């Protein structure tokens, strides 16, 4: 045979051979006995009979660390050297100390023959599998070197696009064969979902042709993304329009039911952290427990998820009944624009302008107390009649949550006072402000798309983002 076939990739099981009643196996790179190959450095694993001494004749403090081997290893090394394989580990080791003649000559010859036999049979089986592979990707993954040699020698041809997860070895082989190669993000599926293989590799002999193909793929990715965004926006608007068409808008000054699902648009979030299938959302809920009412919302702002807890803007003296707490919290305006809200149904936040200074002073005195021992800070309790309305469209809120990447809880985020202003037909639109250390102060808009949102326990969710939870999560990341 002119050339010994390459060993890899291996596609057949090990060959087996019995000699003198002992079973040996071979995978083309040497004999093995019970999974152990011949080890010419066997003595490096023998335990020391005496401690190592210093030049002064004293025992060294730091003795050599010798890795222990199983009994099957010592038995195999004895068999390779035609030594008895019976006895204790100490007895096997003693045989190897006193007599290490190298591998038995007959076993050496057997090893050479089995290595060649395995490589020939493995290459033949590999060729049969190769012929049955129907795609370029299958061949490139099975044997990158062979694929590139066969495909690009001697032809010039256009560059090829391989949709495979196994790109690392292909990149290396392309370097070895002086081929141009670039990985690129794959276009999304027509519905905007991520394809199974989201990174492709383009390979060719001509670098300029490869980069032109990259531009084509990137252009297609942009087109698909824009189309998916348009479809998503159309679906969202259709849900919103259907909801508005069924809402009772006959009484202009009535309170609004803002609970439900909201599609949120926050360009700064989407541009920095969003992907094609990413979007912001808000699910607002009202809960009543033990006669105490709260309004909260689960939010997903791509980079951060968590919970809002709203604070009523209705002055306590104007409520039909007091909230179930010992003190009330007056509203504080947080300036945001009204962009995106129809004038219809949007009123002033506080009815009497002269009350604003008193309200703000009241908030500073009676506002959020992060050291409160109450399970729920009192400012989050509402009276049963408190709801967003044309008269009170702007509601302040505090939030807690975590980053979506490593799941790091955003400690002290609830010290930031943010706001949402509802408006539009029946309170089905909103604009808001979100403030975090990660994102800074950003504005968002939203439209209501669903009438009801899943219920939840605001107290439980709120406390799942406290300092104790932060410490547990931090320790978990480091262990």
């Amino acid at each position: 045979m002119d050339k010994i076939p390459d060993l890899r990739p291996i596609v057949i099981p090990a060959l087996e051979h019995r000699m003198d009643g002992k079973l040996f196996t071979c995978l083309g790179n040497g004999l093995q006995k019970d999974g152990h190959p011949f080890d010419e450095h066997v003595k490096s694993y023998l335990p020391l009979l005496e401690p190592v001494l210093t030049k002064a004749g004293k025992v060294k403090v730091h003795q050599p660390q010798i890795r222990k081997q199983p009994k099957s290893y010592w038995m195999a090394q004895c068999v390779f050297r035609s030594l008895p394989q019976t006895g204790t580990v100490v007895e096997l080791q003693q045989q190897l100390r006193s007599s290490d003649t190298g591998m038995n000559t007959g076993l050496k010859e057997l090893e050479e023959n089995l290595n060649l036999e395995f490589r020939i049979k493995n290459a033949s089986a590999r060729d049969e599998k190769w012929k049955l592979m129907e795609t370029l990707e299958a061949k490139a993954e099975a044997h990158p070197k062979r694929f590139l040699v066969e495909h690009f020698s001697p032809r010039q041809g256009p560059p090829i696009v391989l949709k495979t997860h196994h790109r690392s070895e292909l990149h290396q082989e392309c370097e070895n064969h002086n081929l141009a190669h670039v990985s690129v993000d794959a276009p999304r599926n027509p519905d905007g979902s991520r394809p199974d293989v989201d990174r492709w590799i383009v390979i060719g002999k001509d670098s300029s042709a490869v980069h032109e193909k990259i531009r084509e793929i990137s252009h297609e990715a942009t087109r698909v993304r824009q189309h998916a965004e348009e479809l998503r926006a159309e679906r969202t608007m259709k849900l919103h329009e259907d909801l508005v068409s069924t809402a009772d808008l006959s009484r202009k000054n009535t309170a609004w039911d803002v609970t439900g699902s909201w599609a949120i648009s926050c360009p700064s979030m989407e541009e920095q952290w969003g992907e094609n299938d990413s979007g912001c959302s808000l699910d607002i809920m009202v809960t009543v427990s033990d006669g105490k009412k709260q309004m909260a919302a689960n939010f997903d702002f791509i980079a951060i998820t968590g919970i809002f807890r709203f604070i009523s803007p209705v002055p306590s003296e104007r409520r039909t009944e007091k909230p179930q707490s010992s003190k009330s919290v007056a509203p504080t305006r947080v300036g945001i624009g009204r962009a995106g809200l129809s004038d219809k149904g949007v009123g002033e936040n506080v009815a009497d302008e002269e009350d604003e200074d008193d309200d703000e002073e009241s908030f500073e005195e009676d506002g959020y107390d992060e050291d409160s021992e109450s399970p729920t800070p009192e400012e989050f309790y509402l009276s049963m009649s408190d709801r967003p309305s044309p008269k009170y469209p702007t509601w302040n809120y505090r939030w807690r949550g975590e980053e979506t990447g490593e799941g790091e809880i955003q400690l002290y985020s609830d010290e930031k006072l943010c706001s949402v202003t509802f408006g539009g037909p029946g309170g089905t639109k909103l604009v808001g402000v979100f403030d975090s250390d990660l994102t800074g102060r950003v504005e968002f808009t939203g439209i209501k798309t669903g009438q009801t949102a899943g219920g939840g326990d605001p107290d439980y969710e709120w406390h799942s983002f406290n300092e104790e939870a932060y410490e547990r999560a931090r320790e978990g990341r480091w262990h």
Side-chain angles (χ1 to χ4, degrees), residues 292 322-329 366 374 378-379 381:
K292 298 178 180 181
K322 301 290 185 181
Q324 300 292 322
S325 62
S326 60
K327 59 185 179 181
S328 61
V329 179
D366 297 333
S374 171
E378 295 178 356
E379 67 175 346
Y381 287 134

Side-chain angles (χ1 to χ4, degrees), residues 185-304:
D185 287 336
R188 294 299 178 99
N189 296 323
D191 62 356
S193 61
R194 190 185 293 273
D196 292 337
V197 180
D198 58 2
R199 291 277 289 175
W200 298 348
I201 181 172
V202 182
I203 303 172
K205 285 191 169 183
D206 185 355
S207 178
S208 60
V210 168
H211 284 88
E212 179 59 32
K213 176 59 72 173
I214 292 291
R215 282 191 289 272
E216 290 178 13
I217 294 172
S218 298
H219 177 76
E220 175 64 11
T222 300
R223 187 195 66 79
V224 171
R225 183 184 67 250
Q226 291 173 343
H227 179 65
E229 290 173 353
E230 291 169 0
L231 288 178
R232 186 169 63 244
E234 289 175 5
R235 289 194 296 266
T236 299
M237 186 54 66
K238 179 66 166 56
L239 291 171
H240 174 70
E241 291 172 349
D242 289 347
L243 186 144
V244 172
S245 68
T246 59
D248 182 7
L249 307 178
S250 59
R251 294 180 294 174
K252 293 185 178 180
N253 294 321
T254 189
W256 297 320
D257 177 10
V258 298
T259 59
S261 302
W262 293 74
I264 301 298
S265 173
C266 184
S268 61
M269 292 277 200
E270 293 156 4
E271 290 171 7
Q272 188 165 357
W273 289 284
E275 296 182 355
N276 294 341
D277 54 356
S278 299
C280 301
S281 64
L282 193 68
D283 290 320
I284 301 178
M285 56 188 164
V286 169
T287 62
V288 179
S289 178
D290 297 329
K292 298 178 180 181
K293 177 180 176 181
Q294 299 182 58
M295 188 167 83
N298 295 118
F299 73 92
D300 183 345
F301 282 3
I302 305 175
I304 300 178

Side-chain angles (χ1 to χ4, degrees), residues 19-35:
M19 185 173 182
D20 296 333
K22 301 177 180 66
L23 179 65
F24 297 89
T25 59
C26 179
L27 280 168
N29 59 349
L31 282 183
Q32 290 193 4
K33 178 71 176 74
D34 298 327

